[in-house]
Every structure is written in C-alpha cells, then in structure tokens.
Amino acid sequence: MATAQNSLPKVEAFLAALNEQSFFKDASTQGSVLWYIAFYKKRAPQRRRAFRAGGFILLFLSISLPFLTQLAPKDLQAQVASTLAWLVALVAAANSFFNWQKAWQGYVQTQLTLQFALTEWELRTAEARAALTDEEGLALLREGLQKFIKTVSEAVSGETAQYFEGVKIPETRTGS
C-alpha cells in the first residue's frame, strides 16, 4: 500500500512551497513564526525579572524607610528620608512607565498563542496528508493556512498594540 505522502503529490507540493516562504523558516529568519516564538520566549523572563525586582525594591524601601531613617544620625535623618522617598518614587515611576507586568503577561500570552497555532497547523498538515484526495487535502491546507496566518497576525499585532498602549509619556502641566 502506498503511503499518504506519496499518493498526494499536490498536498506535498503545496507544503514544500510553503516551506520556502520566510513565514515558515527557522528561528533565525526574522518574521517567521519560530522567530516570533523565540522573540517572546527570550524577552518574557526579562520583563518578569524587572517586574519582580522592582516590586521587591519598592516594598523593601517602603517598609524600611522609617527604620533606616532612625538608624541615621539626627542631623542626616531628613536627608536619608528624602533620599529613600525619592528612590521609592523612582522605582514606582519606572514600573509604571515601563509597565513590566503587562509586558511580561503580553509576551507569555503571545508566545503561547503562537505555539498553539503552530501545533494546530502541524496537525492540519498531518490531516491533509491523510486525506483521501489531493483536492480534499488542499482544501484542508488552505483553510488551515488562513486560520494560522490570521491567528499569528492577530497575536503579534495585538501584543504590539498593547505594548504601545501601556508606554505613556507622563503629562506635564504648565501654568496659564
């Protein structure tokens, strides 16, 4: 009995043509699905560490401000308190400005969406190879490809939009 791979030449030709497209290349090809997955996989832990470190520093400085101020000599207490309060404000502002938690969440969510979409595409290609006819296999591939491209586009553009939505320049007010 011939294998499905040999009996559906149009399906195999379609898949071979897709593999030549940059969208389906390896992780080193910018714009490929694997490149996007690697992009988010690499950057998510950096945002998680920044969020966790910023939160810990903020918590530590806030809680220890009175204690550290009391440890300083009387003539330096106001300066120590002022410096610690400035550091608390700086860390809080950096966390708010860079929005590390939202970036971390967006990167992980997008990475997982892309990985699930890729898995679904791989299953669809297996289904197409197992189809009874080339026409049926090609129909499965076309439908799967449209869904795959749509999912990837929406995930990446949605994460990018959320990123730029979250990064805001502080408002400045001028007296009039």
Side-chain angles (χ1 to χ4, degrees):
M1 180 174 159
T3 64
Q5 191 172 14
N6 293 332
S7 64
L8 300 175
K10 290 180 183 177
V11 167
E12 292 305 321
F14 187 87
L15 290 171
L18 286 179
N19 286 333
E20 295 302 314
Q21 305 304 311
S22 62
F23 189 72
F24 289 95
K25 295 284 186 184
D26 62 9
S28 65
T29 304
Q30 189 171 0
S32 73
V33 174
L34 294 175
W35 182 86
Y36 279 114
I37 291 171
F39 175 89
Y40 292 114
K41 193 174 191 176
K42 178 182 178 186
R43 284 164 180 78
Q46 296 168 348
R47 299 317 184 272
R48 183 191 74 235
R49 283 189 293 272
F51 170 68
R52 296 283 191 211
F56 176 78
I57 291 169
L58 187 62
L59 187 64
F60 175 78
L61 289 174
S62 298
I63 291 171
S64 64
L65 190 139
F67 176 73
L68 293 175
T69 302
Q70 290 299 317
L71 287 178
K74 288 277 185 208
D75 58 328
L76 295 177
Q77 283 184 352
Q79 188 176 1
V80 168
S82 175
T83 301
L84 290 174
W86 181 82
L87 286 172
V88 166
L90 179 68
V91 173
N95 193 15
S96 176
F97 180 74
F98 293 111
N99 215 346
W100 292 313
Q101 180 182 6
K102 194 170 184 178
W104 168 34
Q105 178 185 356
Y107 285 178
V108 169
Q109 186 175 356
T110 304
Q111 174 197 337
L112 292 175
T113 299
L114 296 178
Q115 287 174 323
F116 290 137
L118 182 59
T119 299
E120 189 176 332
W121 167 249
E122 289 168 348
L123 291 171
R124 186 57 61 115
T125 62
E127 188 180 356
R129 284 182 167 132
L132 295 176
T133 66
D134 257 334
E135 289 68 30
E136 182 185 336
L138 288 174
L140 289 168
L141 287 176
R142 286 186 186 109
E143 179 185 322
L145 181 60
Q146 286 177 352
K147 184 176 181 187
F148 184 42
I149 291 171
K150 181 179 181 197
T151 301
V152 170
S153 315
E154 288 175 352
V156 172
S157 64
E159 185 280 321
T160 304
Q162 282 182 349
Y163 173 80
F164 285 111
E165 216 174 77
V167 177
K168 296 184 182 182
I169 297 174
E171 291 183 23
T172 57
R173 297 180 186 211
T174 57
S176 37

Short mmCIF file of all heavy atoms in Angstrom, two decimals, residues 2 7 20 24 31 38 44 90 98 113 116 119 122 124 135 144 148 156 167 176:
data_model
loop_
_atom_site.label_atom_id
_atom_site.label_comp_id
_atom_site.label_asym_id
_atom_site.label_seq_id
_atom_site.Cartn_x
_atom_site.Cartn_y
_atom_site.Cartn_z
N ALA A 2 0.58 2.20 -0.82
CA ALA A 2 1.37 3.44 -0.90
C ALA A 2 1.04 4.32 0.30
O ALA A 2 -0.08 4.33 0.79
CB ALA A 2 1.04 4.19 -2.19
N SER A 7 0.94 9.41 -2.23
CA SER A 7 -0.27 9.40 -3.02
C SER A 7 -0.92 10.78 -3.18
O SER A 7 -1.86 10.91 -3.93
CB SER A 7 -1.29 8.42 -2.41
OG SER A 7 -1.66 8.86 -1.13
N GLU A 20 9.28 27.16 1.71
CA GLU A 20 10.22 28.11 1.09
C GLU A 20 9.92 29.56 1.49
O GLU A 20 10.74 30.45 1.28
CB GLU A 20 10.19 27.98 -0.44
CG GLU A 20 10.69 26.64 -0.94
CD GLU A 20 12.11 26.33 -0.49
OE1 GLU A 20 12.97 27.23 -0.60
OE2 GLU A 20 12.36 25.21 -0.02
N PHE A 24 7.58 30.39 7.26
CA PHE A 24 7.75 29.02 7.74
C PHE A 24 9.21 28.62 7.93
O PHE A 24 9.50 27.46 8.18
CB PHE A 24 7.08 28.03 6.76
CG PHE A 24 5.59 28.10 6.81
CD1 PHE A 24 4.89 28.88 5.91
CD2 PHE A 24 4.88 27.40 7.76
CE1 PHE A 24 3.51 28.95 5.95
CE2 PHE A 24 3.49 27.47 7.82
CZ PHE A 24 2.81 28.25 6.92
N GLY A 31 10.68 37.35 11.09
CA GLY A 31 9.35 37.31 10.51
C GLY A 31 8.74 35.92 10.46
O GLY A 31 7.55 35.79 10.21
N ALA A 38 10.53 32.62 19.48
CA ALA A 38 11.81 32.81 20.17
C ALA A 38 11.93 34.23 20.73
O ALA A 38 12.45 34.43 21.83
CB ALA A 38 12.97 32.51 19.21
N ALA A 44 10.23 37.57 27.63
CA ALA A 44 9.29 37.44 28.75
C ALA A 44 10.01 37.31 30.10
O ALA A 44 9.65 38.02 31.05
CB ALA A 44 8.35 36.26 28.53
N LEU A 90 11.08 56.83 42.38
CA LEU A 90 11.76 56.47 41.14
C LEU A 90 11.41 55.05 40.70
O LEU A 90 11.08 54.81 39.53
CB LEU A 90 13.28 56.61 41.32
CG LEU A 90 14.13 56.24 40.11
CD1 LEU A 90 13.91 57.24 38.98
CD2 LEU A 90 15.60 56.19 40.49
N PHE A 98 7.39 51.69 32.37
CA PHE A 98 7.75 50.56 31.51
C PHE A 98 6.71 49.44 31.55
O PHE A 98 6.72 48.57 30.69
CB PHE A 98 9.13 50.02 31.89
CG PHE A 98 10.24 50.98 31.59
CD1 PHE A 98 10.93 51.59 32.62
CD2 PHE A 98 10.58 51.28 30.29
CE1 PHE A 98 11.95 52.47 32.35
CE2 PHE A 98 11.60 52.17 30.00
CZ PHE A 98 12.29 52.77 31.04
N THR A 113 0.10 31.60 22.44
CA THR A 113 -0.84 31.64 21.30
C THR A 113 -0.15 31.18 20.03
O THR A 113 -0.71 30.38 19.26
CB THR A 113 -1.40 33.06 21.12
OG1 THR A 113 -2.11 33.44 22.30
CG2 THR A 113 -2.33 33.14 19.92
N PHE A 116 0.55 27.36 20.21
CA PHE A 116 -0.68 26.59 19.98
C PHE A 116 -1.11 26.66 18.51
O PHE A 116 -1.56 25.67 17.95
CB PHE A 116 -1.81 27.06 20.89
CG PHE A 116 -1.60 26.71 22.35
CD1 PHE A 116 -1.87 27.65 23.33
CD2 PHE A 116 -1.13 25.47 22.74
CE1 PHE A 116 -1.68 27.34 24.68
CE2 PHE A 116 -0.93 25.15 24.08
CZ PHE A 116 -1.21 26.09 25.05
N THR A 119 1.12 24.34 16.54
CA THR A 119 0.72 22.95 16.78
C THR A 119 -0.54 22.61 15.99
O THR A 119 -0.63 21.54 15.37
CB THR A 119 0.49 22.70 18.29
OG1 THR A 119 1.71 22.96 18.98
CG2 THR A 119 0.02 21.29 18.56
N GLU A 122 0.40 22.16 12.40
CA GLU A 122 1.07 20.88 12.18
C GLU A 122 0.05 19.74 12.15
O GLU A 122 0.18 18.81 11.35
CB GLU A 122 2.13 20.65 13.26
CG GLU A 122 3.33 21.58 13.09
CD GLU A 122 4.27 21.59 14.29
OE1 GLU A 122 3.89 21.05 15.37
OE2 GLU A 122 5.37 22.14 14.16
N ARG A 124 -3.05 20.08 11.24
CA ARG A 124 -3.80 20.25 9.99
C ARG A 124 -3.00 19.70 8.80
O ARG A 124 -3.59 19.09 7.90
CB ARG A 124 -4.11 21.73 9.79
CG ARG A 124 -5.00 22.06 8.61
CD ARG A 124 -6.34 21.34 8.64
NE ARG A 124 -7.14 21.66 9.78
CZ ARG A 124 -8.30 22.29 9.76
NH1 ARG A 124 -8.82 22.66 8.62
NH2 ARG A 124 -8.96 22.51 10.86
N GLU A 135 -7.49 17.07 -3.64
CA GLU A 135 -8.40 18.21 -3.53
C GLU A 135 -8.84 18.39 -2.08
O GLU A 135 -8.90 19.51 -1.57
CB GLU A 135 -9.61 18.04 -4.45
CG GLU A 135 -9.30 18.19 -5.93
CD GLU A 135 -8.44 17.06 -6.52
OE1 GLU A 135 -8.52 15.91 -6.02
OE2 GLU A 135 -7.66 17.34 -7.44
N GLY A 144 -6.63 25.73 6.85
CA GLY A 144 -5.71 25.77 7.99
C GLY A 144 -4.71 26.90 7.89
O GLY A 144 -4.40 27.56 8.90
N PHE A 148 -4.19 29.92 10.47
CA PHE A 148 -2.86 30.05 11.07
C PHE A 148 -2.32 31.47 10.89
O PHE A 148 -1.88 32.11 11.86
CB PHE A 148 -1.93 29.02 10.43
CG PHE A 148 -0.55 28.95 11.01
CD1 PHE A 148 -0.34 29.02 12.38
CD2 PHE A 148 0.54 28.78 10.19
CE1 PHE A 148 0.94 28.94 12.92
CE2 PHE A 148 1.82 28.69 10.71
CZ PHE A 148 2.03 28.77 12.08
N VAL A 156 0.44 38.84 17.23
CA VAL A 156 1.60 39.75 17.22
C VAL A 156 1.14 41.20 17.18
O VAL A 156 1.65 42.03 17.94
CB VAL A 156 2.53 39.42 16.02
CG1 VAL A 156 3.62 40.47 15.88
CG2 VAL A 156 3.15 38.04 16.21
N VAL A 167 2.89 52.09 27.27
CA VAL A 167 4.00 53.00 27.47
C VAL A 167 3.49 54.42 27.22
O VAL A 167 3.18 54.78 26.10
CB VAL A 167 5.18 52.68 26.51
CG1 VAL A 167 6.30 53.69 26.67
CG2 VAL A 167 5.68 51.29 26.77
N SER A 176 -1.10 78.55 33.40
CA SER A 176 -1.55 79.53 32.39
C SER A 176 -2.26 80.67 33.06
O SER A 176 -2.73 80.65 34.12
CB SER A 176 -2.46 78.90 31.36
OG SER A 176 -3.33 77.93 31.83
#
